[in-house]
Amino acid sequence: MRDGSGRVAVWRAAGAVLAVGWSGAASAEPVAGLIEPAWLIGPLLLLVVTFLIWNRRLRREVVQRRAAEQALRRYRQVVSATQDSISLIDRNAVYLLVNESYLRIFERRYDDIVGHSARELLGAETFERVVAPRLARCLAGETVNYQAWFERPSTGRCYLDVIYAPYRDQGTEIDGVLVSVRDITERRRAEEARQLAANVFTHAREGIVITDPQGVIVDLNAAFVEITGESRETLLGRRPAVLESGAGLLGGSDAVTVEAIWTTLADQGHWEGEFWGRRRGGESYVAMITMTAVGDEAGALQHYVLLYHDITALKLQQRRLEQAAHYDGLTGLPNRALLFDRLEQAMTQVQRRGGTLALVYFDLDGFKAVNDGLGHEAGDRLLAGLAVRMRGVLREGDTVARLGGDEFVAVLLDPGGIAELAPLLDRLLEALSRPMPITDHLVQVSASLGVSCFKQGDETTPDLLLRRADQAMYQAKLAGKGRYRFFTPGVDDAPRRHALAG
């Protein structure tokens, strides 16, 4: 009974002490009267005081824990809701926390990242080259911002904008790094595309011009400046010459009006053609131009883009090839192929419109003696000089061609009757027989001419017309050379055929 009554007395005393502790109004006398035996008073007081202190601290810790939990929940909500990808790593680059956006960027699950190091996530090479140097700067107290390419397991590379900020849990010591990541892959690719376009624009060998919807130049590259010979400042704010009426011949020999270009652009959105222009210094050039209309996302016209490809050298080469194919290399006169082409055109014109045509066959008298006596170079110079004289006598619309050797043919369209034609033939004979100085020698030859005529309704072919002029020329030679003869039907050409056979 004594032990039981003693435990009861102790708890009563403790209750009284607690009452004193909570209210502070009770007297100490009843307490003292309850305590049996006296040696328990000290331990009981110590126990009560300890309980009070522990209870107050516990309540404070509960309040703090609840506040911390609420703050953590709010932090996680904010971190999860932000568009940026957030993570927290310790000083050893081990992930302590990541949000959903971070997981999506790197295409990983939460357990694949948290508790693992950045080296494992990004790969050793990328970590050492890209991440480690910047983490070291951040752990030294610096906030670091950079952009770099990173590999992902499924969708390939991504370009990220990364911020490292020092993280301090308590005090001044840096405990880790707070990482903010934003995926700017599309922006980066757009920048690269713009940079590529700018490089192409700047370094392209073709001239590039950008105009507004009215055709006024708003930008151009250096190649266009080189093609035109104009300065950039002079060209800006103006229309390209191709869009100015009468500024150049378009489409080669087929003229194209500026109005037709605008119509084609409006209907088809592009136009292509040749432009014959003149540089600032007066030198002519030829450009192949492609014009394209450029609209916005809604389809509204914003710009025209013009590409100029300088084909001057190509045209010169083409002209040289045509010259070699259709002109005599020594005299510059049309050759046999071009002669027959022009002869056919002239005969067709006579058949359609009426009029007459005269074909004159030339053969030099005494040329062989010059060629053998003074050499082939002297003979060539003589032929070239006589070609110049023939062109000087004939009219602008007439054609004189070299068949080969010392034989030439002239096509005279609408020369008139014999009365009008005879003076022209006389001038030709005089021009061809005048002495010509060559290599310190005064060289003189003559010519025999044969003439055949063609009029509307004739069924003569170009070959037959040429043979008739050849027969007439041979008759002139038989008559004493240095003269002309007209073709006469029925005249026997056996001597000429015999000479050709021999």
Side-chain angles (χ1 to χ4, degrees):
M1 290 297 294
R2 192 173 186 277
D3 291 338
S5 61
R7 284 197 297 272
V8 171
V10 170
W11 284 111
R12 286 180 179 175
V17 172
L18 286 173
V20 173
W22 284 109
S23 64
S27 173
E29 294 179 359
V31 175
L34 290 173
I35 295 176
E36 296 179 3
W39 61 269
L40 291 175
I41 294 177
L44 283 174
L45 288 176
L46 180 60
L47 176 62
V48 170
V49 171
T50 301
F51 173 78
L52 292 175
I53 295 173
W54 175 82
N55 184 62
R56 182 173 296 179
R57 181 178 297 174
L58 180 61
R59 285 187 295 167
R60 184 168 61 247
E61 289 179 355
V62 169
V63 172
Q64 291 175 347
R65 185 179 295 111
R66 288 176 179 174
E69 289 175 351
Q70 292 177 354
L72 182 59
R73 282 195 297 270
R74 288 194 297 269
Y75 169 76
R76 285 177 174 171
Q77 290 174 354
V78 171
V79 168
S80 298
T82 184
Q83 293 182 352
D84 288 348
S85 303
I86 304 297
S87 68
L88 178 64
I89 60 177
D90 63 16
R91 296 186 63 88
N92 296 316
V94 174
Y95 285 96
L96 304 176
L97 175 70
V98 295
N99 68 349
E100 288 295 329
S101 178
Y102 199 91
L103 297 176
R104 286 193 298 269
I105 282 185
F106 287 99
E107 301 173 348
R108 300 296 181 93
R109 296 177 304 174
Y110 185 87
D111 293 339
D112 295 333
I113 296 182
V114 174
H116 298 271
S117 69
R119 178 189 292 271
E120 295 178 64
L121 176 67
L122 304 175
E125 191 275 334
T126 301
F127 180 81
E128 294 296 336
R129 176 176 54 87
V130 178
V131 176
R134 295 177 171 93
L135 281 180
R137 289 164 51 192
C138 184
L139 291 172
E142 178 184 353
T143 298
V144 180
N145 180 217
Y146 70 95
Q147 296 83 37
W149 287 100
F150 292 90
E151 293 291 338
R152 291 184 291 194
S154 299
T155 58
R157 297 200 309 164
C158 60
Y159 196 75
L160 304 180
D161 180 65
V162 184
I163 299 176
Y164 292 159
Y167 172 74
R168 296 174 174 84
D169 189 7
Q170 293 179 354
T172 59
E173 293 295 326
I174 297 176
D175 299 298
V177 174
L178 186 63
V179 182
S180 173
V181 176
R182 180 169 293 182
D183 188 346
I184 58 172
T185 305
E186 293 303 320
R187 187 176 75 187
R188 174 65 177 180
R189 286 174 177 161
E191 290 174 355
E192 289 178 344
R194 285 194 296 270
Q195 185 60 46
L196 177 60
N199 288 337
V200 171
F201 184 81
T202 302
H203 302 293
R205 299 183 63 181
E206 289 77 13
I208 303 176
V209 176
I210 301 175
T211 76
D212 63 14
Q214 287 71 45
V216 177
I217 297 176
V218 297
D219 202 0
L220 53 98
N221 68 348
F224 183 72
V225 171
E226 184 177 352
I227 289 173
T228 61
E230 299 279 359
S231 68
R232 176 181 176 86
E233 292 72 20
T234 302
L235 292 167
L236 286 173
R238 291 169 42 186
R239 278 187 170 185
V242 68
L243 295 179
E244 294 290 349
S245 298
L249 180 64
L250 306 175
S253 59
D254 299 325
V256 179
T257 64
V258 174
E259 290 75 14
I261 294 177
W262 284 115
T263 300
T264 302
L265 285 172
D267 294 342
Q268 304 178 14
H270 62 88
W271 176 86
E272 182 175 323
E274 289 182 7
F275 173 71
W276 299 66
R278 194 168 295 277
R279 308 187 205 277
R280 181 177 179 83
E283 179 187 0
S284 61
Y285 70 91
V286 187
M288 176 60 72
I289 301 179
T290 301
M291 300 178 59
T292 305
V294 179
D296 58 16
E297 294 180 355
L301 177 65
Q302 287 200 322
H303 300 288
Y304 290 107
V305 177
L306 290 76
L307 300 181
Y308 282 70
H309 182 58
D310 191 341
I311 59 173
T312 307
L314 181 63
K315 284 293 182 180
L316 291 176
Q317 178 64 16
Q318 180 180 344
R319 185 176 300 174
R320 284 192 290 267
L321 292 175
E322 291 177 351
Q323 185 80 13
H326 297 101
Y327 292 86
D328 177 56
L330 176 63
T331 62
L333 297 177
N335 60 14
R336 177 182 289 269
L338 185 56
L339 167 68
F340 273 89
D341 181 67
R342 292 186 178 179
L343 178 57
E344 289 177 354
Q345 292 182 27
M347 294 174 71
T348 300
Q349 182 175 335
V350 169
Q351 291 287 19
R352 289 178 178 174
R353 302 178 183 177
T356 59
L357 179 151
L359 188 69
V360 183
Y361 200 112
F362 302 70
D363 187 86
L364 299 181
D365 305 319
F367 175 75
K368 186 176 185 301
V370 175
N371 207 38
D372 293 343
L374 299 179
H376 292 291
E377 183 178 351
D380 290 345
R381 292 180 60 183
L382 175 62
L383 292 174
L386 293 177
V388 173
R389 290 182 181 180
M390 285 185 278
R391 280 197 296 260
V393 173
L394 296 178
R395 300 168 302 175
E396 184 177 351
D398 297 332
T399 295
V400 58
R402 183 188 179 198
L403 290 185
D406 59 349
E407 294 183 334
F408 300 85
V409 173
V411 180
L412 313 178
L413 188 61
D414 291 326
I418 294 179
E420 292 82 15
L421 184 55
L424 175 61
L425 298 175
D426 288 333
R427 290 196 300 272
L428 279 171
L429 290 174
E430 188 277 330
L432 294 172
S433 63
R434 281 201 313 268
M436 181 179 297
I438 295 176
T439 61
D440 299 329
H441 293 82
L442 198 59
V443 178
Q444 186 174 17
V445 295
S446 64
S448 298
L449 312 182
V451 184
S452 62
C453 297
F454 177 82
K455 65 180 184 299
Q456 188 179 36
D458 286 352
E459 296 182 357
T460 308
T461 64
D463 286 333
L464 180 57
L465 195 64
L466 184 63
R467 286 200 303 270
R468 288 175 174 178
D470 181 29
Q471 292 174 25
M473 181 274 295
Y474 193 71
Q475 293 299 322
K477 279 187 177 293
L478 292 178
K481 301 179 182 179
R483 66 197 67 218
Y484 60 85
R485 287 288 185 268
F486 285 88
F487 171 75
T488 302
V491 174
D492 185 14
D493 65 340
R496 170 63 170 166
R497 286 187 280 107
H498 178 73
L500 290 174

